[in-house]
Amino acid sequence: MSPSLAPRKPHLKRGEAPCYAWRAGSCTKGTKCFFAHDPEVQAAERRRQEAAARRARAQQEKCERRAAEAARMARLADEAREQAHRERLAQEEAARQAEQRRSEQARLREEQEKELFTTTAKEEAARTIQQVILGSIVTCAAGFDVRAIVTGFDSCTVVIRNLPLDAREDEIRGLFTQQGIDPDRLLLTSVKRTQDGKQEATIVTDAEHGEVLAIGLDTIEFRNERLAFEVGVCNVAGGMGAGYARDTDILTISWRAPSVRYIGACDSMDIVHAKVWELNGRVLHGRKVKVEINTPPPSRFIRNFNPVSIKISNLPPDISLADLHDFTGLTNLQCLRNNLTWTLENGLRLLREDIEKYNLSAFTCSVPSVNLDGIVSVRAQFRSHEDAKDAYDYLEEAKSLYYLNAVAPWFRLPAPHTYTLTIPYLQYESQRRIWHDLKTSIEDKKACDIVIQEQEGRGSARIRVLGSLKPAVGALKVRVESLAGGEKVDGWNPALAKADSAFVRSLFADTGTFLRGDWTRKQLKLYGEPKAVEAAREEVKRELDRLSSLERTIHLTRQSVGFFIRQGLSELQAILGDECAALDPTRCTITVSGGEEARHHLDRLLTQSRTSALPSLSVNGQTCPICMDDITAPVRIGCGHSYCAACLRHYLLSALDSDTFPLVCIGDESRCEVPIALPAIQRLLPPASFNRLLEVAFTNYVSKHPQELVYCKTPDCTQIYRTTQATSPSVLQCPSCFSTVCSGCNEDSHEGMSCAESRLHKDPEAQDRAAEEWIRSQGNRIKRCPQCNIHIEKTEGCNHMTCRCGAHVCWICLGVFTREDIYDHMQNAHGGIYTADPATPEVDYNPFHGVDYAEQEAALRQAQAARVHQGRAREAREREARARAFVLEMRRQEDAERLGRDLRRAAYEEATRRRLEEDRRRMEEAQRQQETRDGGGWCVLM
């Protein structure tokens, strides 16, 4: 469309369109402006502008406020960052100071632990233990080093009675130590409560001081109580106790007192039976009357014998007929004939004269007593048991005391030596034949005898050894103690130490042997026939193995749980094996298996876990001196060296089969040699093993000091005594077997002779040698007769010697001739009868002439020192090699045992699984059969 054709805009009139400049308030034309100037438009525009201005100002203020807020926030952020920086620095400083404090505390704690360990190690190293071993008081120091021995020969027991209940053991020991007795020579063995509400203590000490102090302390006051002291011999543990020999100097003579007998006639046999039942056993005039039916003596005929009668016996001789009538109610009574021609007073006088005429000691005879049974007893007291024994032998030979009308009297004299022992009845029953053989083997019952009282109702048997000959009693006592000691069994379990346990009863029923537990020494002992004991030993070993495999679960505290998590569990597993110890922290329980040894180590670790302050067990990179490997379950001993617990335990147990004591540390390639403290050994070994080591150390010490300590010569006797110089011997008596021995020559005592004289007296060859030496020392003044071999001496005269055997001897050549020929011989052979005896030339020969003794002694000392040094080094190497070999062997055995247990456990689990599977199949089969019987069957039609 062309521009000419476009529509044209209409023309506006003046004032018709608004003026935009006016509206903006800046029209310069004023009234001349073509456009309309509307005041409202201008006011509206002004209002709009004002509103826009207000909005602009508001926006500006808002921006300003935002900027101020942003600035404030930035400032706050800067301040916060500054505060955070300062706080971080403060925290870092606090952390640094806390770390310093922890380091200081750790250092102080480490120093305290080190100081505590050092102090504890010194205390434990200085600690000793005293124990009665085989009758001797033995004091052992670290490593089982025997420091002191008070032998049983030199010991005594002191029993203190009337002690208050609150008396402490240190106070009891103080009664003796305050008097100057060395504590190493004093041992408190037992303190027990008595029935009267007091205490009774038994102390073993040396006899020299114990007897004197017991006499001096007797009846002293202790807390308002007067103490009583009794001294006795020291016996071995479990030995027979000495019975109190009462009235050993009193001889009791008993016989039947004189009595009369009556016959009472009755009207019928019914009355006879009624009278016997009514009168028999009643007492009349102090006598228990015996009433019985009158019967004639066998094989004898008595004229006018009345069978319808009663016989009344044991009536006193002075009984009157009236009293007897009142007693029996019978009128027809007849006295039987008697021969009462003496009185008791005259008989006792004759008895006294009869004994005194044999030059026996005077005795005092008590007033005789007649009991209800008509027995008269006289107690004659002598000055000594020997005098009473002489009187006893004389009266035994007499057989009859006619002046007392005693045809068969009997005598009782207590044995001067009595010892008793009480054992369980089952123990006696298992050894009944052995006890019987021992009793029948005694030939001289008066010298020594054994009396056995079976008390089955009380469950015990009482064994008494008694006699008058002390050496014989002692030898028998040792045999009884050896038999009552039983056979030891390796291993210990408290379940088998109870006499009423099912296993002990079944073992007795099956094998006839009795198993008994010694709770003090933690030992099991078997009693019975030798073959039965060997069979029972295998049964006990199998039961011990079975009990060792059983598990034991202990509930732990939270403190103990943490301890076992940190170190206790690993130590248990290292000692017992990984499968023998398990910890459940959620239930706070620990489970172990392995018998008494496992229980011992668990109890030790439980005690250690409850201790508030535990010493550090850090090994600081050390290796075990035994296995030369990293240390597991470390055990640190006093010298500072650490060992594997299992290795150290095996090393200690290896000493049971060796003679190397004391037990020392083998750290630093066996150069340490510090003895291992006894408390450390006690923590590592069960009590039974510890006690066995004590005994082995003691016997080893005795065997290495044969010139100082010697065993008693009686077989089976375990006592030892201390020897002395032969120049100052003493007679010693064994407290167990009572044999006497000379401490100088270790032979039987020989009072009145020196040791050399005793040996010479017992050795004929030595006597001959001594005689020959004495003859040579007399310078040919004494020779032997060639015919009778006795000594002849020439003091003067010719060379013709006449011996008491009748031989005529030439002194020069010792030829024997007749009286007529001897002078011709001396003239022809020796040139006269006074020819002197040619002297034997003496040669002075000194094989050590010109020897430098000082040089030789120095060389000998150097050689001896070199031998000692080489011997010690060799012993150390051998000890280390034996320990390592023993540990390796024990580990191999433990591995084999562990493998065996695993195999047995796997076999048991497989058998259990098969049994359960078989049970499940049987149950399913039974269920199917039951369903078939209950529901019947279905028939399927095709």
Side-chain angles (χ1 to χ4, degrees):
M1 179 176 299
S2 61
S4 60
L5 296 178
R8 297 179 65 183
K9 292 183 181 180
H11 294 282
L12 294 177
K13 295 180 179 179
R14 182 180 179 82
E16 186 175 3
C19 179
Y20 292 102
W22 171 260
R23 187 176 58 182
S26 60
C27 182
T28 60
K29 295 181 178 180
T31 58
K32 297 179 179 180
C33 182
F34 176 78
F35 296 97
H37 286 188
D38 188 358
E40 291 295 332
V41 173
Q42 190 176 18
E45 182 63 23
R46 189 171 54 252
R47 286 194 300 270
R48 186 188 64 78
Q49 290 178 357
E50 291 176 357
R54 285 196 301 271
R55 285 194 301 272
R57 286 194 303 269
Q59 184 67 29
Q60 184 178 359
E61 292 176 358
K62 184 177 180 180
C63 291
E64 291 176 355
R65 284 196 304 271
R66 287 181 177 177
E69 182 67 20
R72 188 179 67 81
M73 295 299 296
R75 186 174 64 255
L76 292 176
D78 293 340
E79 292 176 356
R81 283 193 297 272
E82 184 67 21
Q83 182 66 24
H85 179 67
R86 287 195 300 269
E87 290 178 355
R88 185 170 61 255
L89 293 178
Q91 290 175 358
E92 292 177 355
E93 180 65 19
R96 186 180 62 80
Q97 294 178 359
E99 182 64 27
Q100 289 180 352
R101 286 194 299 271
R102 284 194 298 271
S103 300
E104 183 66 19
Q105 291 175 357
R107 185 183 63 81
L108 292 176
R109 185 167 57 252
E110 184 177 355
E111 291 179 356
Q112 291 175 357
E113 290 176 355
K114 186 180 297 185
E115 183 179 357
L116 175 62
F117 177 81
T118 304
T119 304
T120 305
K122 289 182 180 179
E123 293 176 354
E124 291 184 349
R127 194 172 301 172
T128 59
I129 187 171
Q130 281 183 303
Q131 189 165 322
V132 176
I133 303 176
L134 303 181
S136 301
I137 306 177
V138 183
T139 304
C140 286
F144 295 104
D145 184 19
V146 178
R147 293 291 180 85
I149 294 178
V150 181
T151 67
F153 279 69
D154 303 327
S155 304
C156 70
T157 58
V158 180
V159 180
I160 311 173
R161 295 187 173 90
N162 296 335
L163 285 167
L165 285 178
D166 57 350
R168 302 190 307 273
E169 293 186 0
D170 57 337
E171 293 178 326
I172 299 174
R173 281 190 289 264
L175 293 173
F176 291 83
T177 57
Q178 291 173 4
Q179 305 299 322
I181 288 188
D182 187 357
D184 288 343
R185 304 180 69 84
L186 179 73
L187 177 62
L188 179 62
T189 58
S190 67
V191 178
K192 60 183 179 181
R193 184 171 181 174
T194 58
Q195 295 180 352
D196 56 355
K198 304 293 180 61
Q199 286 192 121
E200 179 180 295
T202 302
I203 285 181
V204 182
T205 182
D206 62 287
E208 179 181 358
H209 297 89
E211 296 178 357
V212 175
L213 289 180
I215 296 174
L217 294 174
D218 196 21
T219 70
I220 68 167
E221 288 192 1
F222 179 80
R223 297 186 185 174
N224 300 324
E225 295 287 348
R226 287 191 175 273
L227 303 183
F229 292 77
E230 180 181 335
V231 181
V233 297
C234 179
N235 202 358
V236 295
M240 305 188 73
Y244 179 55
R246 302 179 59 184
D247 302 335
T248 59
D249 58 348
I250 294 180
L251 174 63
T252 303
I253 307 171
S254 302
W255 69 94
R256 293 198 173 275
S259 62
V260 295
R261 296 178 297 172
Y262 276 83
I263 300 297
C266 300
D267 296 335
S268 65
M269 287 303 297
D270 293 338
I271 298 177
V272 169
H273 288 292
K275 290 296 182 181
V276 171
W277 182 84
E278 176 187 359
L279 300 178
N280 185 40
R282 291 180 59 183
V283 178
L284 177 64
H285 288 191
R287 295 284 186 92
K288 185 183 292 185
V289 178
K290 181 180 179 181
V291 180
E292 57 187 339
I293 299 174
N294 188 24
T295 57
S299 302
R300 288 185 60 187
F301 174 76
I302 299 178
R303 182 179 297 177
N304 299 326
F305 177 78
N306 182 14
V308 186
S309 60
I310 60 174
K311 182 168 62 176
I312 310 169
S313 307
N314 197 31
L315 292 170
D318 56 352
I319 187 73
S320 64
L321 193 59
D323 292 339
L324 196 57
H325 279 307
D326 296 338
F327 177 75
T328 61
L330 301 176
T331 58
N332 189 2
L333 296 172
Q334 181 183 0
C335 181
L336 297 179
R337 185 178 60 182
N338 61 73
N339 296 320
L340 297 177
T341 60
W342 57 276
T343 62
L344 184 60
E345 291 75 11
N346 291 334
L348 291 176
R349 180 179 55 80
L350 293 174
L351 173 63
R352 185 191 301 268
E353 293 176 357
D354 197 11
I355 295 178
E356 288 179 345
K357 73 179 182 180
Y358 280 86
N359 298 323
L360 300 176
S361 301
F363 67 96
T364 57
C365 182
S366 62
V367 178
S369 59
V370 181
N371 60 14
L372 294 177
D373 294 326
I375 305 298
V376 182
S377 295
V378 174
R379 290 164 53 88
Q381 185 173 8
F382 292 77
R383 293 179 180 176
S384 65
H385 174 78
E386 288 73 18
D387 294 339
K389 184 66 169 59
D390 293 338
Y392 175 85
D393 295 338
Y394 162 69
L395 295 176
E396 277 285 328
E397 293 178 0
K399 298 296 183 183
S400 175
L401 300 179
Y402 63 92
Y403 40 76
L404 292 175
N405 198 30
V407 179
W410 58 95
F411 315 99
R412 187 178 67 85
L413 181 63
H417 310 293
T418 304
Y419 297 87
T420 60
L421 179 68
T422 302
I423 61 176
Y425 184 78
L426 290 180
Q427 176 180 335
Y428 169 75
E429 187 66 25
S430 64
Q431 297 176 310
R432 179 183 290 272
R433 189 187 64 81
I434 304 177
W435 287 112
H436 176 73
D437 293 344
L438 177 61
K439 183 176 177 62
T440 55
S441 65
I442 302 174
E443 298 179 356
D444 189 357
K445 301 290 185 180
K446 295 182 179 179
C448 64
D449 196 7
I450 181 173
V451 178
I452 302 176
Q453 296 178 347
E454 300 183 25
Q455 302 172 342
E456 186 175 2
R458 298 182 180 180
S460 62
R462 190 176 183 217
I463 314 296
R464 294 178 61 217
V465 174
L466 49 88
S468 58
L469 190 59
K470 197 169 186 178
V473 173
L476 179 60
K477 171 177 171 288
V478 171
R479 293 176 64 186
V480 169
E481 290 173 344
S482 177
L483 182 58
E487 296 289 337
K488 296 180 180 178
V489 179
D490 294 334
W492 166 260
N493 194 292
L496 300 184
K498 299 177 181 178
D500 57 347
S501 66
F503 177 78
V504 173
R505 292 195 300 268
S506 65
L507 186 68
F508 181 80
D510 296 340
T511 64
T513 58
F514 177 66
L515 180 64
R516 185 180 182 185
D518 186 348
W519 290 88
T520 303
R521 296 177 174 269
K522 297 294 188 297
Q523 285 181 345
L524 296 175
K525 296 181 180 180
L526 282 170
Y527 301 86
E529 302 285 341
K531 293 183 179 179
V533 167
E534 292 303 321
R537 192 187 299 274
E538 297 297 326
E539 294 289 334
V540 174
K541 185 177 183 302
R542 284 192 290 269
E543 182 66 12
L544 285 172
D545 293 339
R546 187 189 70 81
L547 292 175
S548 298
S549 62
L550 299 180
E551 295 181 343
R552 180 191 182 193
T553 301
I554 298 294
H555 289 276
L556 305 175
T557 62
R558 284 296 177 185
Q559 178 184 357
S560 298
V561 170
F563 170 82
F564 277 94
I565 290 176
R566 290 191 302 272
Q567 66 183 73
L569 181 62
S570 60
E571 183 173 345
L572 271 179
Q573 291 176 341
I575 297 174
L576 307 176
D578 294 342
E579 74 284 355
C580 295
L583 177 66
D584 189 349
T586 58
R587 298 182 179 177
C588 296
T589 59
I590 186 168
T591 303
V592 298
S593 60
E596 178 62 20
E597 184 176 358
R599 284 190 290 271
H600 170 74
H601 289 293
L602 178 59
D603 293 340
R604 173 178 63 84
L605 291 174
L606 285 173
T607 303
Q608 186 176 353
S609 68
R610 301 187 190 103
T611 306
S612 57
L614 297 175
S616 175
L617 293 176
S618 175
V619 296
N620 296 325
Q622 298 182 21
T623 58
C624 177
I626 295 178
C627 65
M628 295 300 177
D629 203 347
D630 294 336
I631 297 178
T632 57
V635 175
R636 190 179 180 188
I637 59 178
C639 61
H641 289 101
S642 297
Y643 291 76
C644 300
C647 294
L648 184 57
R649 177 172 57 87
H650 294 328
Y651 168 65
L652 296 174
L653 291 177
S654 66
L656 292 172
D657 301 321
S658 68
D659 56 354
T660 305
F661 287 94
L663 300 178
V664 298
C665 174
I666 58 175
D668 296 336
E669 297 181 357
S670 300
R671 292 191 300 270
C672 180
E673 295 188 347
V674 174
I676 304 175
L678 294 178
I681 301 177
Q682 285 179 310
R683 288 192 295 267
L684 205 59
L685 295 182
S689 301
F690 184 83
N691 291 331
R692 285 202 302 271
L693 273 176
L694 275 176
E695 293 184 4
V696 171
F698 169 69
T699 55
N700 176 72
Y701 182 88
V702 174
S703 64
K704 289 186 176 180
H705 296 78
Q707 303 300 325
E708 179 185 359
L709 299 171
V710 181
Y711 283 99
C712 178
K713 296 183 63 177
T714 303
D716 296 331
C717 186
T718 58
Q719 294 280 3
I720 64 171
Y721 63 92
R722 199 176 298 275
T723 61
T724 59
Q725 296 293 332
T727 56
S728 57
S730 60
V731 177
L732 305 176
Q733 186 177 57
C734 179
S736 292
C737 65
F738 312 122
S739 62
T740 56
V741 66
C742 173
S743 63
C745 61
N746 303 324
E747 297 293 339
D748 294 336
S749 60
H750 45 80
E751 297 185 14
M753 292 188 295
S754 65
C755 296
E757 292 172 347
S758 175
R759 285 192 294 268
L760 185 63
H761 180 73
K762 295 178 180 180
D763 189 356
E765 296 181 359
Q767 295 178 16
D768 295 339
R769 290 193 299 269
E772 294 297 334
E773 292 177 0
W774 178 73
I775 291 174
R776 288 194 297 269
S777 67
Q778 298 301 314
N780 290 331
R781 186 173 58 87
I782 297 176
K783 296 182 180 180
R784 288 184 181 272
C785 172
Q787 180 168 295
C788 65
N789 205 33
I790 68 170
H791 296 148
I792 55 177
E793 179 182 6
K794 178 185 176 185
T795 57
E796 59 182 0
C798 67
N799 292 330
H800 174 204
M801 303 295 295
T802 303
C803 181
R804 66 182 182 181
C805 67
H808 296 274
V809 182
C810 173
W811 182 256
I812 302 299
C813 64
L814 294 180
V816 179
F817 304 92
T818 63
R819 181 186 296 273
E820 294 77 13
D821 297 336
I822 187 170
Y823 285 98
D824 294 337
H825 162 74
M826 289 189 293
Q827 290 289 348
N828 298 329
H830 306 299
I833 62 175
Y834 293 100
T835 304
D837 195 9
T840 302
E842 296 184 0
V843 179
D844 186 11
Y845 173 69
N846 183 9
F848 300 101
H849 178 70
V851 176
D852 187 352
Y853 290 101
E855 180 181 357
Q856 293 295 322
E857 290 179 358
L860 289 174
R861 284 195 298 270
Q862 293 177 1
Q864 179 65 19
R867 285 194 297 271
V868 170
H869 178 72
Q870 294 174 359
R872 289 179 178 176
R874 183 173 61 255
E875 289 179 359
R877 290 193 298 270
E878 292 176 353
R879 183 167 63 247
E880 182 179 358
R882 285 197 302 269
R884 290 178 179 173
F886 181 79
V887 169
L888 293 177
E889 178 63 21
M890 293 296 292
R891 285 191 171 181
R892 186 189 64 78
Q893 294 179 3
E894 288 183 353
D895 293 340
E897 292 176 358
R898 187 179 299 112
L899 179 60
R901 286 196 298 268
D902 292 342
L903 292 176
R904 289 193 296 272
R905 181 175 299 175
Y908 175 77
E909 292 177 353
E910 179 65 20
T912 303
R913 188 187 62 78
R914 291 179 179 176
R915 186 173 64 255
L916 293 176
E917 184 66 23
E918 184 66 24
D919 293 343
R920 186 183 62 81
R921 285 199 299 268
R922 285 199 298 269
M923 291 178 62
E924 291 178 352
E925 182 64 25
Q927 186 176 4
R928 284 195 298 270
Q929 293 177 0
Q930 184 67 28
E931 291 176 351
T932 302
R933 287 194 298 269
D934 295 342
W938 291 90
C939 181
V940 180
L941 299 178
M942 300 300 294

